[in-house]
Amino acid sequence: MEFNLKIWRQKDARSQGGFIDYNLKGVSGEMSFLEMIDYLNKTLIEGGEEPVAFEHDCREGICGSCSLYINGRPHGPEDLIATCELRMTRFKDGDTIVIEPWRAKSFPVLKDLIVDRYAFDKIMQAGGFISVNTGAAPEANSIPVSKEAADEAYDAAICIGCGACVAACKNSSAMLFVAAKVSQLSLLPQGKAETAKRARAMVEKMDELGFGSCTNTTACETECPKGISMAHIARLNREFLLAGLKS
Amino acid sequence: MSSFINASIGKKFLVSISGLFLISFLAVHLFVNLFLLGGQESYNLIAHFMATDYVISVMEPMLAIGFLLHIIYSSYLTITNQSTRPHKYKIVDQSDTTSWASRNMFVLGGLVLIFLVIHLSNFWFQMQFGEMEYIEYGGVMVQDAYSLVTAKFTIWWQVLLYVAAAGFLGLHLLHGFQSAFLTLGLYNKIWRQRLMVIGILYTIVITAGFSLIPLYFLIAHYTT
């Protein structure tokens, strides 16, 4: 297969970037999207050019490292997968593919397609934890947790923190990420006690870091590689409103 | 409390509460409009009741406050959201992932606001400060609001304006209805579908109601 790639290249955080066109021949349909960029980089290095910088780690949709905005959508044209799980068979021979980094004031571009997602860590540091040591995993029946609560908490816990929600949102809101973290902890006995404090602290930090406010377009939910539901945003709103009433 | 309002969710809370208040007002407004179909006396009497009732006179400034809160806070949030992505994407493909209405609530709200100014100058301003005819019903002198309204609804471009405004309002409601419940946290995986259906039905009733009444008088004018 042959592709016309239009890739954002930026030397460093202070430089002005721009799109560079590459014509790449000999791509196999079985390659993952990241393998296709590996192959491009091989040809660039062989030609004495600087390879395209991009983030990757597990390459099996778990780590949340890959963060490419492909043809107008985070993680590309398929739902419920990360970029590393996207196969080149999804594209047609001769397609033009536009590859951009996540765009948000809170996710500044560091180099080429790599953005600084440290803002998510700062939000987690503000309240995404349980303050006391809850010890090792308890015996299964010592703290009863309903099946519904466990399932719902798991649905939130599968957030990999990739930032696709921010990238997809027209307001660059991090609500789905914050909602997943607050939801996961507030549904389980160990995390429930600090729910109000946690919701307030994490939302305030999210606002402070320059993420936008959610307008419920549901773009984040659709583009989330793990399918985190808007219902978690509703829970975060509920917990935040209750925290406001208690204060 | 100030930290609550300063937070993005606090401001969204005010937009949602005021939005739901305005949504309930629309139902009352449409109910009153239906009296137009009952004839001159029917509508003039309900209009007189609305203008003189104690509860309604208390609700009127609350309605104005509701509008102001909704407009001010949604404008503030929209403006601040503009700065969250200084470098725009080259391509954005959200045609299949989000609804057009959800992405354009501010534009739709702006169009409804422009219509509201025209609507208020057409009727409310006329009834408050204009020269109105009076008719006596059972010894009580009542403004002839019916003639004022039906006269406007015989002008084709005025009717077109009202039908278009009902369409914009409908699109605004289509997203706004369920979005308000989501922001208030009154939303989960089960109620999501239910709220969507209720929101669509409510939107259809409001849009159809506010469109069909002017159309009815326009058609009646040209066919009788």
Side-chain angles (χ1 to χ4, degrees), chain A residues 197-209:
Chain A
K197 186 177 152 195
R198 179 182 303 114
R200 198 183 306 133
M202 291 180 81
V203 168
E204 282 172 3
K205 183 55 77 176
M206 173 184 77
D207 289 344
E208 180 195 315
L209 291 168

Side-chain angles (χ1 to χ4, degrees), chain A residues 30-45:
Chain A
E30 277 137 33
M31 283 181 181
S32 75
F33 200 84
L34 298 186
E35 284 165 346
M36 182 274 292
I37 301 180
D38 288 337
Y39 176 56
L40 168 72
N41 280 343
K42 180 173 170 285
T43 60
L44 290 176
I45 292 165

Side-chain angles (χ1 to χ4, degrees), chain A residues 100 103 168 214 216 221 238, chain B residues 12 85 94 179 185 192:
Chain A
E100 299 177 72
R103 298 285 190 199
C214 171
N216 304 330
E221 178 189 60
R238 193 159 59 237
Chain B
K12 275 153 52 69
R85 182 164 290 137
Q94 291 201 339
S179 182
R192 179 182 195 152

Side-chain angles (χ1 to χ4, degrees), chain B residues 14-15 18-19 21-22 61-71:
Chain B
L14 291 176
V15 175
S18 57
F21 178 60
L22 297 176
M62 285 184 69
L63 185 64
I65 292 169
F67 268 109
L68 283 175
L69 277 179
H70 197 70
I71 293 164

Side-chain angles (χ1 to χ4, degrees), chain B residues 182-213:
Chain B
L182 201 160
T183 298
L184 295 176
L186 305 171
Y187 181 103
N188 59 26
K189 283 176 183 170
I190 298 166
W191 272 92
R192 179 182 195 152
Q193 294 303 321
R194 293 175 186 169
L195 284 170
M196 189 184 289
V197 172
I198 296 168
I200 291 170
L201 290 176
Y202 188 83
T203 302
I204 290 170
V205 169
I206 293 293
T207 310
F210 282 122
S211 307
L212 292 177
I213 292 171

